[in-house]
């Protein structure tokens, strides 16, 4: 007779589920667009909830739309050990970012069912609302409310670019639950995710044990110049908001390069006003995302951004307003959870390395409240937030096996 250590997930079933979910919001280039709280997000949630019910789970939701799918434990009064991630995507998202961590959780439950394994503590699969921050900034907003990093009212009142609020959209798709966000007791949280970077592929390793996440600061920047005729206004004396923005975009790149190798800086969204071919742009709004594993360095990068903006404003006769909309400090994961994952890697015979997450994850929020750890698996070329995002079925299965054995250790499992 086998032992619990011999149990493995069904990698083909995991892959099939990923491919089925990827049909919701499918894009022509092979990726997905399921922006948070759109009809596509609702369809993805509906499919997940149906699959969880078919696997015998009980569903609850909180007032940020976070979904908890519970498989009872032998001692059902114990707080559950949770696994999960997000189902929302970037506008040009892939098939794996977030959805892998959710469906890997479902595959763990299905595998436990197949093998008739009961756990001491209940286990839960969690879907966190609006992880990406692509539709409603900031990112990780619902795991952030859960972990006490954002106020509920602040989160529900975030608006998308058309002025629709997160709270209204949550109600519209029918996922505003009753439970207070954060009231749900969790014993531990594990998230498996594609790496979204090149390290595991380069090192030819199937598994990364993530020891923490880097710090980040997000800004909304507005540059105000003056609309004027593109033909009749001499070059001297123009107050061209877009030309000033161009210089500031390059300054963001330079600021990050000064913190090589870990500093990163991105201008990802930009709106030009009036956006007419023959009017000198009088206004530009854009976003800045600065990150580094060391919080003091991110602070320094933010100071450098403000200094460069002040200089450009003076040189070019424009006004630059910089609002810091989010500061997310670096985070360290829980040593006991990491230990459970190291044991899992040993049991499974997977070579692995420690790493810091470059991307933000719900786990980075959860870690501020609940013992938390993360597992990474390689993705092709390290590419993510791209329709071409790709991962090997066997690596996805390996990460899911890590999740299974991590959860079994944390939930003190037993065979029937
Ligand atoms: C989310 O994907 C982030 O890291 O911004
Ligand atoms: Mn993600
Ligand atoms: Mn993402």
């Amino acid at each position: 007779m086998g032992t619990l250590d011999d149990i493995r997930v069904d990698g083909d079933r995991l892959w099939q589920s990923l491919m089925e979910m990827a049909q919701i919001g499918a894009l022509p280039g092979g990726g997905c667009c399921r922006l948070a709280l759109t009809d596509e997000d609702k369809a993805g949630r509906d499919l997940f909830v149906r699959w969880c019910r078919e696997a015998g789970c009980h569903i609850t939701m909180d007032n940020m739309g976070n979904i908890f799918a519970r498989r009872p434990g032998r001692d059902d009064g114990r707080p559950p050990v949770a696994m999960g991630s997000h189902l929302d995507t970037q506008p040009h998202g892939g098939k794996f970012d977030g959805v892998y961590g959710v469906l890997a959780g479902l595959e763990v439950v299905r595998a436990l069912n197949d093998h008739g394994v009961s756990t001491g503590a209940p286990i839960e699969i969690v879907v966190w609302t609006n992880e990406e921050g692509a539709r409603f900034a900031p990112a990780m907003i619902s795991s952030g409310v859960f972990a006490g990093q954002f106020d509920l009212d602040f989160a529900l009142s975030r608006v998308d670019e058309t002025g629709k609020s997160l709270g209204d959209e949550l109600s519209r798709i029918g996922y505003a639950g009753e439970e207070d966000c954060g009231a749900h007791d969790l014993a531990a949280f594990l998230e498996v995710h594609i790496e979204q970077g090149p390290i595991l592929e380069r090192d030819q390793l199937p598994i990364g044990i993530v020891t923490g996440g880097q710090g980040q600061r997000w800004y909304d920047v507005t540059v105000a110049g003056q609309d004027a005729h593109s033909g009749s206004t001499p070059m001297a004396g123009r107050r061209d908001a877009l030309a000033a923005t161009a210089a500031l975009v390059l300054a963001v790149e330079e600021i990050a390069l000064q913190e090589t190798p870990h500093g990163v800086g991105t201008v990802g969204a930009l709106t030009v006003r009036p956006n007419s071919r023959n009017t000198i742009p009088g206004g530009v709004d854009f976003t800045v995302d600065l990150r580094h594993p060391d919080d003091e360095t991110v602070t320094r990068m933010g100071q450098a951004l403000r200094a460069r903006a002040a200089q450009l404003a003076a040189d070019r006769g424009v006004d630059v307003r910089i609002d810091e909309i989010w500061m997310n400090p670096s985070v360290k994961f829980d040593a006991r959870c990491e230990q459970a994952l190291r044991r899992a890697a040993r049991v499974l015979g997977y070579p692995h390395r420690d790493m810091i997450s470059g991307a933000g994850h719900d786990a980075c929020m959860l870690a501020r409240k609940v013992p938390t750890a993360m597992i990474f698996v390689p993705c092709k070329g390290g590419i993510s937030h791209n329709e071409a995002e790709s991962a090997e079925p066997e690596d996805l299965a390996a990460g899911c096996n890590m999740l299974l054995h991590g959860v079994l250790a944390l939930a003190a499992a037993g065979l029937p």
Side-chain angles (χ1 to χ4, degrees):
M1 206 184 102
T3 70
L4 277 176
D5 284 353
D6 299 323
I7 294 175
R8 299 290 179 271
V9 301
D10 181 337
D12 291 339
R13 180 170 53 192
L14 170 63
W15 182 260
Q16 290 307 325
S17 299
L18 284 163
M19 293 307 113
E20 198 172 329
M21 185 63 85
Q23 287 169 21
I24 300 175
L27 295 173
C32 291
C33 180
R34 281 191 310 273
L35 292 177
L37 310 184
T38 55
D39 292 348
E40 290 74 25
D41 188 16
K42 172 185 165 32
R45 287 162 175 261
D46 289 350
L47 180 60
F48 168 75
V49 166
R50 174 162 73 74
W51 280 340
C52 288
R53 289 200 168 119
E54 285 168 4
C57 294
H58 175 70
I59 304 288
T60 56
M61 281 179 292
D62 69 21
N63 52 9
M64 277 303 295
N66 299 317
I67 307 171
F68 302 85
R70 181 185 182 97
R71 183 180 191 267
R74 287 191 305 277
D75 182 358
D76 214 35
R78 278 170 64 183
V81 174
M83 323 164 265
S85 192
H86 58 100
L87 289 176
D88 67 318
T89 73
Q90 290 286 321
H92 291 176
K95 298 189 191 77
F96 304 100
D97 175 1
V99 61
Y100 167 49
V102 172
L103 296 183
L106 175 62
E107 177 51 38
V108 166
V109 166
R110 287 169 166 171
L112 293 177
N113 290 347
D114 289 349
H115 291 89
V117 177
S118 65
T119 52
I123 63 173
E124 292 193 348
I125 316 158
V126 191
V127 175
W128 302 104
T129 298
N130 187 58
E131 188 273 352
E132 291 289 4
R135 182 172 179 203
F136 301 100
M140 303 175 259
I141 200 163
S142 304
S143 47
V145 174
F146 188 92
Q149 302 297 298
F150 301 121
D151 287 341
L152 178 70
D153 291 343
F154 166 82
L156 293 174
S157 63
R158 295 304 89 204
V159 289
D160 69 6
E161 60 182 20
T162 70
K164 288 183 179 153
S165 78
L166 189 153
D168 287 348
E169 286 294 273
L170 189 57
S171 300
R172 184 186 70 79
I173 68 162
Y175 276 88
E178 297 283 309
E179 188 173 274
D180 283 342
C181 183
H184 204 96
D185 201 10
L186 299 180
F189 180 71
L190 295 182
E191 179 169 357
V192 63
H193 205 285
I194 56 167
E195 179 198 334
Q196 309 182 280
I199 296 170
L200 290 174
E201 188 180 67
R202 182 200 65 198
D203 291 357
Q204 298 191 310
L205 291 170
I207 296 295
I209 294 179
V210 188
T211 57
Q214 62 183 350
Q216 63 192 107
R217 288 177 185 262
W218 278 13
Y219 303 87
D220 281 346
V221 184
T222 301
V223 180
Q226 186 178 48
D227 291 6
H229 196 293
S230 66
S232 52
T233 313
M235 293 308 287
R238 289 182 176 207
R239 296 170 59 215
D240 183 332
L242 184 56
T245 297
L248 210 41
V249 172
L250 292 177
V252 167
E253 193 178 54
E254 275 172 40
I255 288 165
L257 285 168
Q258 271 160 15
E259 305 296 346
T260 300
H262 296 301
V264 286
T266 306
V267 174
L270 189 145
T271 309
V272 181
R273 285 185 300 276
N275 210 25
S276 164
R277 187 187 295 262
N278 49 357
T279 297
I280 298 164
V284 177
D285 296 327
F286 65 98
T287 61
V288 179
D289 172 336
L290 300 176
R291 307 191 197 195
H292 193 281
D294 172 53
D295 292 328
E296 278 175 28
T297 306
V298 192
T299 302
R300 194 165 61 237
M301 291 165 78
Q303 287 162 348
L305 173 68
R306 288 186 191 280
R308 294 293 291 267
Q311 187 62 53
L312 273 163
D315 292 351
R316 290 177 168 269
V318 295
D319 293 320
V320 183
R321 183 183 151 154
I322 301 185
D323 290 325
E324 183 175 284
I325 62 156
W326 189 30
M327 191 280 286
N328 187 36
S330 62
V331 68
K332 289 213 182 320
F333 289 142
D334 178 74
R336 280 169 310 151
C337 290
E338 279 175 29
Q339 226 173 0
L341 294 180
R342 285 180 213 291
R343 182 192 175 275
R346 205 167 47 244
V347 163
L348 293 158
Y350 295 150
H352 58 92
R353 59 165 285 165
D354 287 0
M355 52 205 310
I356 297 277
S357 176
H361 296 289
D362 294 307
C364 299
M365 286 293 178
L366 265 289
R368 305 187 197 284
K369 174 167 172 148
V370 172
T372 294
M374 275 194 92
I375 307 148
F376 275 171
V377 300
C379 59
K380 192 167 176 209
I383 302 245
S384 182
H385 286 193
N386 185 318
E387 284 194 63
E389 188 177 87
S390 169
E392 293 300 324
E394 51 271 31
D395 290 333
L396 297 169
C400 191
N401 277 320
M402 287 286 294
L403 188 64
L404 168 71
H405 286 282
V407 163
L408 283 175
L410 293 170
L415 283 166

